[in-house]
Amino acid sequence: MDLEIDSARLLSEIEALALISEAQLPGVTRIVFTPADMRARTWLIDHCRAAGLAVRQDAVGNIFARWQGSDPAAPAVGTGSHLDAIPNAGKYDGVVGVLGGLEAIRALQRAGFHPRNSVELLLFTSEEPTRFGIGCLGSRLLSGSLSADVARKLTDRSGESLDDVRRKAGLSGELEEVQLPTGYYKAFLELHIEQGPVLERERVPLGIVTKIAAPASARVSIDGEGGHAGTVLMADRRDALCAASELILAIENAARTTSSIDTVATVGMCEVFPGAVNSIPSQVSLSVDVRDTDLARRDRVICAVETAAKQISERRCVSIRVELLNADAPAECAPDVMDALAASCRKHGQKFLPMISRAYHDSLFMARIVPAAMLFIPCRNGYSHRPDEYASIEDIARGALVVAETLASLSA
Ligand code: GLV
Ligand code: MN
Ligand code: MN
């Protein structure tokens, strides 16, 4: 089979998609169900149809583009990722897996390959947690990891529920219908930029992910007492932001002092109310993101954060509520899919490195219902979630080629 990736076309599609954004280039912002996200979805559907794929969408907006195999009743082989992007992100996170997967399918078609199992490209809804507080909404629902009832009631910052927002976006059906039937997929693979520095540093062009680290997130609400910045004396204050500052440092310390470099914790959002120069902050809300390759150690950090919150609350006479939004287990990738990826790398003379994914991905949840694995490509300086995120088209095309070869071997 003569497999060839059309790099020029793939690059022009990545550039075209980057223009569908709410940020100025080089930044990309595509929050789920905003006009930019909806336009990106329409763009993708048009491109999938142009490739002869049969497209369907489920009630939460996961998109499935199917290349029907000669045995339509056999479980499909899936590949894909997400197109939503956090505020001021780059062009490649998620996009490489969706457009690389589409180009892999087109390359197989051009090569005259005929799959036995159907091959399906997937776009997952809201891999990023920006709007509804938890990430991987689409894959959580597909895998039955999030109940429709809980999902329905998730709200964004303006108080709109996921159920209302998705219906306004034109999605019909019930969230209960999103969960995939057992045995729907034979295998799933996701191409993604590494989002870290290892491949670049080691000068190896491909990484086969063996394990995905365990993510957790929490929302912290602090209530103190507001007042006049000039007249309330220091001894009389219950400043919510000062309490938040102590807690942020306690969170950093909890992650830094485990025995492992694999523990990380981040406070990425801090909202201060009322937010005036001459007003003592009365309310603060923080986001907390904690991850580790080891589940027990990750959970000990969460406990340490809860203990610190209690102590700070008592000492500063403020109320602190820690609401755990998600605390997921790590995922082990499937040996069969990793082996198929490794065989494809070897077939094309490509070196690869087995590696851990410290970022989470929809594969974390797909791995619960289907043998799944991921293929990483390098990104410059390991940068991600920032506008200067960059992966070369040579690396992207190499990844797409290995995806194509692996889809062929799994669907033949
Ligand atoms: C995914 O975007 C992550 O935060 O790991
Ligand atoms: Mn991301
Ligand atoms: Mn991603």
Side-chain angles (χ1 to χ4, degrees):
M1 184 171 52
D2 196 11
L3 264 181
E4 236 179 274
I5 297 299
D6 186 341
S7 300
R9 177 177 186 177
L10 182 51
L11 180 60
S12 79
E13 289 175 347
I14 291 169
E15 297 297 335
L17 200 55
L19 294 171
I20 306 179
S21 157
E22 274 141 28
Q24 291 286 345
L25 280 177
V28 175
T29 302
R30 254 190 322 262
I31 313 293
V32 66
F33 297 140
T34 57
D37 182 50
M38 297 313 292
R39 279 197 292 134
R41 288 161 176 275
T42 305
W43 183 98
L44 180 72
I45 290 171
D46 289 346
H47 280 69
C48 289
R49 292 210 169 113
L53 308 182
V55 179
R56 75 176 173 93
Q57 255 185 104
D58 67 17
V60 78
N62 292 312
I63 296 173
F64 305 77
R66 180 172 277 233
W67 181 20
Q68 180 130 319
S70 58
D71 182 357
V77 176
T79 190
S81 195
H82 62 101
L83 291 186
D84 64 321
I86 67 164
N88 209 30
K91 297 177 189 171
Y92 304 92
D93 175 5
V95 169
V96 158
V98 176
L99 297 188
L102 176 59
E103 176 53 23
I105 291 174
R106 291 187 304 222
L108 286 167
Q109 292 172 336
R110 288 193 298 269
F113 176 75
H114 294 287
R116 186 183 82 80
N117 303 72
S118 297
V119 174
E120 201 162 73
L121 181 74
L122 263 149
L123 169 128
F124 296 101
T125 287
S126 196
E127 190 265 358
E128 303 291 4
T130 314
R131 185 156 186 183
F132 292 102
I134 60 169
C136 300
L137 280 181
S139 51
R140 280 179 197 272
L141 283 161
L142 283 177
S143 61
S145 306
L146 174 69
S147 79
D149 225 27
V150 173
R152 216 182 330 270
K153 293 177 196 139
L154 290 170
T155 50
D156 65 11
R157 270 203 241 179
S158 69
E160 263 203 295
S161 72
L162 172 63
D163 211 35
D164 287 344
V165 173
R166 62 140 194 141
R167 283 185 197 282
K168 275 190 204 158
L171 296 167
S172 54
E174 295 305 322
L175 293 179
E176 278 79 2
E177 296 156 14
V178 173
Q179 186 173 352
L180 288 172
T182 313
Y184 182 94
Y185 285 118
K186 175 186 175 193
F188 178 78
L189 52 122
E190 181 172 3
L191 173 67
H192 207 284
I193 57 168
E194 182 202 331
Q195 304 184 283
V198 178
L199 291 173
E200 189 181 57
R201 202 169 53 210
E202 302 292 325
R203 295 176 191 277
V204 177
L206 295 162
I208 296 181
V209 174
T210 55
K211 180 174 184 172
I212 304 173
S217 67
R219 190 181 293 138
V220 177
S221 313
I222 305 178
D223 281 288
E225 192 173 7
H228 194 289
T231 59
V232 182
L233 299 181
M234 297 311 280
D236 298 330
R237 293 194 182 198
R238 298 197 297 123
D239 183 322
L241 186 55
C242 290
S245 315
E246 276 199 45
L247 184 58
I248 292 169
L249 293 178
I251 292 166
E252 183 193 38
N253 192 48
R256 287 181 84 117
T257 53
T258 69
S259 53
S260 173
I261 57 159
D262 291 332
T263 321
V264 288
T266 308
V267 175
M269 282 166 68
C270 175
E271 280 175 24
V272 181
F273 182 83
V277 173
N278 51 358
S279 170
I280 299 163
S282 60
Q283 285 169 9
V284 170
S285 86
L286 303 175
S287 66
V288 186
D289 177 308
V290 185
R291 309 180 190 208
D292 205 313
T293 50
D294 183 88
L295 186 61
R297 198 168 50 215
R298 197 269 327 266
D299 287 345
R300 282 198 293 278
V301 172
I302 295 173
C303 285
V305 171
E306 285 166 345
T307 304
K310 197 160 176 290
Q311 288 165 350
I312 295 164
S313 147
E314 282 165 8
R315 190 158 27 79
R316 287 187 166 269
C317 297
V318 296
S319 120
I320 306 184
R321 194 159 62 91
V322 180
E323 186 193 347
L324 200 56
L325 300 175
N326 66 290
D328 304 299
E332 303 287 343
C333 292
D336 286 358
V337 188
M338 289 190 289
D339 287 350
L341 283 167
S344 302
C345 290
R346 285 191 203 99
K347 187 164 177 183
H348 290 274
Q350 299 298 338
K351 285 213 307 194
F352 62 88
L353 211 60
M355 60 193 304
I356 287 170
S357 172
R358 297 178 187 282
Y360 60 71
H361 302 280
D362 293 298
S363 291
L364 182 74
F365 297 98
M366 293 306 280
R368 295 182 179 182
I369 53 161
V370 45
M374 295 189 71
L375 183 67
F376 276 177
I377 58 164
C379 53
R380 189 168 60 202
N381 299 326
Y383 291 167
S384 187
H385 284 185
R386 44 191 279 183
D388 51 358
E389 177 179 276
Y390 175 77
S392 74
I393 187 58
E394 291 76 21
D395 284 331
I396 298 169
R398 188 180 291 111
L401 180 69
V402 171
V403 167
E405 190 67 55
T406 311
L407 291 175
S409 73
L410 292 170
S411 66

